[in-house]
Amino acid sequence: MTIALSPPLPVLRIFDVAKAREFYVGFLGMSWDWEHRFAPDLPLYAQVSRGALVLHLSEHHGDACPGAALRIHVSGEGGLEALHAALAGARYRHARPGIEAKPWGERALSVIDPFGNRLTFHAPAPPAPEDG
């Protein structure tokens, strides 16, 4: 028997739907795919996505704790620099992230959502130029 495991689907705790939309859709450029409530006055559960990145957001107190940390690999044309440019262009008033070089050979761009969840987008550092 072969067991196949898929990447996890993170569930992040949120407390305010308008702030979640402003951050995940307005700032990060994600799509608000769907949402569910058991009744109009009950907590929201929603899905946001951008490319292969899919996150669930929940107002339900038992689903997750605020303060989660996610590492999200960035590849593709322009990579981390293109993401940085897009975020800078969004002019989100609560974050102006920069790209940091890490000593273990990668570059990272971190943002914290309004609920204390940290999303760190990372990519390998470009190879050092050869001497000679």
Side-chain angles (χ1 to χ4, degrees), residues 109-132:
L109 181 156
S110 292
V111 294
I112 299 175
D113 79 2
F115 320 105
N117 300 301
R118 175 176 293 138
L119 290 78
T120 299
F121 300 91
H122 67 94
E130 293 183 26
D131 290 337

Side-chain angles (χ1 to χ4, degrees), residues 22 25-29 84-93 95-96:
E22 179 186 24
V25 176
F27 179 48
L28 293 184
H84 179 254
L87 296 181
R91 307 282 304 157
Y92 181 62
R93 67 186 193 143
R96 299 287 164 87

Side-chain angles (χ1 to χ4, degrees), residues 3 12 15 20 23 25 29-30 35 69 78 80 82 85 90 92 99-100 117:
I3 298 173
L12 300 176
F15 299 101
F23 181 81
V25 176
M30 300 182 84
E35 59 183 59
L80 202 58
Y92 181 62
I99 297 174
E100 297 179 53
N117 300 301

